[in-house]
Amino acid sequence: MTDKQVQTEDHTLIDPISSSPDFEQTESRIAIWGHPAHAMTVAFPVALTFCTFGADVLYWLSGDIFWARAALWAAGAAFLFGLAAGVTGTTELLMVPGIRARAAAWTHFVIAVALLSVLGANWGYRLGGYEEAVLPYGLLLSAFGVVMVSAAGWHGGKLVFDYRLGTSKGS
């Protein structure tokens, strides 16, 4: 018997969290015509984080200032769109009992908040001089952002595809 299971009188094991009446309530509360807002907004910071890293690598290889400027804009947009995705995701986490009850949702939340910190630091570092900021710290922050956005995306995708959390139809 694990610490998550409770033995009943007839010796069957139940999980007290999954037996909660709200556990199956996973339908998105923040949606536009049935389309979950968090799922729609996360694509932008994910793509822009990869774009920032790509622009940094291209600046490193070519020395063309265009790529340093592109990385500045991509880093800023990744952070700002990340804030929007964070607001919708946090709202879903706090409003939907079936999402809030799962530890995996909190893991995704913690990684995503840490990612927002990295995205903000990356953008803020570049505001003081975008060309000088690329090497080495801008590139390192961008690479770390790619690793973190991959981890957050993996966990978020697992929540949606394995548990159907935050979908418009519930479980």
Side-chain angles (χ1 to χ4, degrees):
M1 181 164 59
T2 68
D3 60 340
K4 291 185 176 183
Q5 296 173 329
V6 175
Q7 196 165 7
T8 62
E9 290 178 14
D10 62 352
H11 301 290
T12 59
L13 299 176
I14 59 168
D15 181 354
I17 294 174
S18 64
S19 63
S20 166
D22 294 335
F23 189 74
E24 296 302 321
Q25 292 181 11
T26 60
E27 186 172 329
S28 176
R29 299 265 175 97
I30 309 297
I32 301 169
W33 295 299
H35 297 280
H38 184 63
M40 291 189 292
T41 57
V42 295
F44 295 102
V46 169
L48 288 163
T49 299
F50 278 91
C51 288
T52 304
F53 179 66
D56 281 347
V57 169
L58 288 170
Y59 174 76
W60 183 28
L61 295 175
S62 71
D64 187 349
I65 194 171
F66 167 80
W67 294 113
R69 191 170 43 251
L72 167 71
W73 283 95
F79 176 68
L80 295 174
F81 277 108
L83 287 176
V87 167
T88 59
T90 301
T91 304
E92 289 282 12
L93 177 68
L94 297 177
M95 289 181 65
V96 181
I99 295 174
R100 195 173 51 244
R102 289 171 167 86
W106 290 97
T107 302
H108 173 68
F109 172 77
V110 169
I111 294 170
V113 169
L115 170 63
L116 272 176
S117 299
V118 170
L119 294 178
N122 196 6
W123 183 39
Y125 182 66
R126 293 165 192 272
L127 289 174
Y130 56 89
E131 188 174 9
E132 299 82 23
V134 174
L135 296 173
Y137 298 112
L139 182 62
L140 291 171
L141 281 168
S142 295
F144 189 51
V146 165
V147 170
M148 291 192 71
V149 82
S150 298
W154 176 272
H155 286 283
K158 190 161 185 58
L159 290 169
V160 171
F161 298 119
D162 290 354
Y163 304 119
R164 294 189 40 83
L165 299 186
T167 60
S168 59
K169 300 291 185 215
S171 12

